Amino acid sequence: MEEKKMKKKLIVMMGLIIIGLTACNSDEEKAVMNMVENTKIAASMEEEESTAGQESTGSEEYSTDEGGTDENEILTAASAPTPETEETEQAGYTVETIDKKMYVKEWCNTYMGPNEQAYELFGECNKGELVHLTGQVKEESNWYEYEVETGDKGFISGEYLVAENPVEQETAQKPSTPNQTQTQTPEQTTGTPNTTDANGVQAPVNPNTGEVMKPGDSYINQTGAKVTYLEHL
């Protein structure tokens, strides 16, 4: 840079010397003055171009440093690990993983998603059936994901789920029916019944018990008198 300035100064001094030596008439003087002026203009343009080049180089270096920083930040953000969760996001809802078993309170339909109006039918569950629940819907807390024996999964409403088997509860609460024994009502007879005792002799019947009286048996009649059956001679 200093070398270029020295060259410019030498060029200007040489021009001034030439002016002093060759200024014989006005025309020659004008020509020399024009040459000096042109030399100054050329030197000035050279200096401006040099300054502009240095500013451009510094700007490019600064831009490169900034670009490198942004790229590193982007790479760092992209490579950051995603934390593992026990939630599965699906279209419109999130299922939180659980592992429990419950009984079905009454017969019901199950669906492909946690809404009986918005999703197609998946299957059905019977009263007293034990179902394996694998997830609970966060947005709809009363809907559960359950798994069948084939590994397929559907959704059941929590209003149909209970902790105890309802069929077994009904059986335990049902009262047992005792064996009913039939009691024979003694046949009411009037007068002397046509019955015989162990000896084949016609004998009276005790009106209070309905049994055939044996010799020596007795009973109290309606008047309060004691009646005794005597053996026939």
Side-chain angles (χ1 to χ4, degrees):
M1 187 67 185
E2 294 294 331
E3 185 178 355
K4 288 183 178 181
K5 289 182 179 181
M6 290 295 296
K7 287 181 178 180
K8 292 175 184 178
K9 289 180 180 180
L10 290 173
I11 292 171
V12 173
M13 290 176 64
M14 289 176 65
L16 293 175
I17 294 170
I18 293 171
I19 291 172
L21 295 175
T22 59
C24 298
N25 52 51
S26 60
D27 291 336
E28 291 179 353
E29 184 179 357
K30 288 180 181 180
V32 172
M33 290 299 292
N34 288 335
M35 184 179 66
V36 172
E37 189 66 27
N38 291 335
T39 302
K40 289 181 179 180
I41 291 172
S44 177
M45 289 178 66
E46 252 183 23
E47 186 175 358
E48 289 178 359
E49 287 177 0
S50 176
T51 304
Q54 291 179 355
E55 290 178 356
S56 176
T57 302
S59 177
E60 287 177 359
E61 290 177 355
Y62 177 75
S63 176
T64 302
D65 292 339
E66 287 188 344
T69 303
D70 292 343
E71 184 178 356
N72 291 335
E73 290 177 355
I74 293 171
L75 291 174
T76 302
S79 60
T82 303
E84 295 182 1
T85 62
E86 294 185 354
E87 296 179 355
T88 303
E89 293 186 2
Q90 301 187 31
Y93 58 89
T94 304
V95 178
E96 184 177 359
T97 301
I98 62 173
D99 185 12
K100 63 188 299 185
K101 294 182 179 181
M102 298 186 73
Y103 292 93
V104 178
K105 180 171 64 174
E106 59 186 40
W107 179 93
C108 65
N109 285 324
T110 59
Y111 300 88
M112 300 295 293
N115 190 309
E116 60 185 10
Q117 303 294 333
Y119 295 92
E120 296 181 357
L121 189 67
F122 174 79
E124 61 182 35
C125 291
N126 296 315
K127 182 177 181 178
E129 182 178 346
L130 183 65
V131 293
H132 178 205
L133 305 179
T134 57
Q136 183 174 8
V137 180
K138 295 183 66 176
E139 292 79 5
E140 300 287 345
S141 59
N142 204 31
W143 278 88
Y144 294 86
E145 179 188 70
Y146 79 103
E147 185 177 20
V148 296
E149 294 180 355
T150 60
D152 296 328
K153 294 182 179 181
F155 290 83
I156 184 172
S157 174
E159 65 180 287
Y160 297 106
L161 299 174
V162 290
E164 302 292 335
N165 190 336
V167 177
E168 293 180 355
Q169 286 183 329
E170 290 178 0
T171 303
Q173 293 173 359
K174 187 177 181 181
S176 59
T177 304
N179 294 329
Q180 297 180 351
T181 58
Q182 295 182 352
T183 57
Q184 295 181 351
T185 303
E187 183 180 356
Q188 299 294 329
T189 60
T190 58
T192 303
N194 186 18
T195 57
T196 58
D197 58 12
N199 298 321
V201 180
Q202 185 175 349
V205 176
N206 187 331
N208 295 330
T209 62
E211 297 178 349
V212 177
M213 296 181 67
K214 299 177 182 179
D217 292 344
S218 62
Y219 65 92
I220 305 299
N221 63 12
Q222 294 179 352
T223 62
K226 182 177 181 180
V227 180
T228 301
Y229 173 56
L230 299 176
E231 184 178 4
H232 291 278
L233 297 176

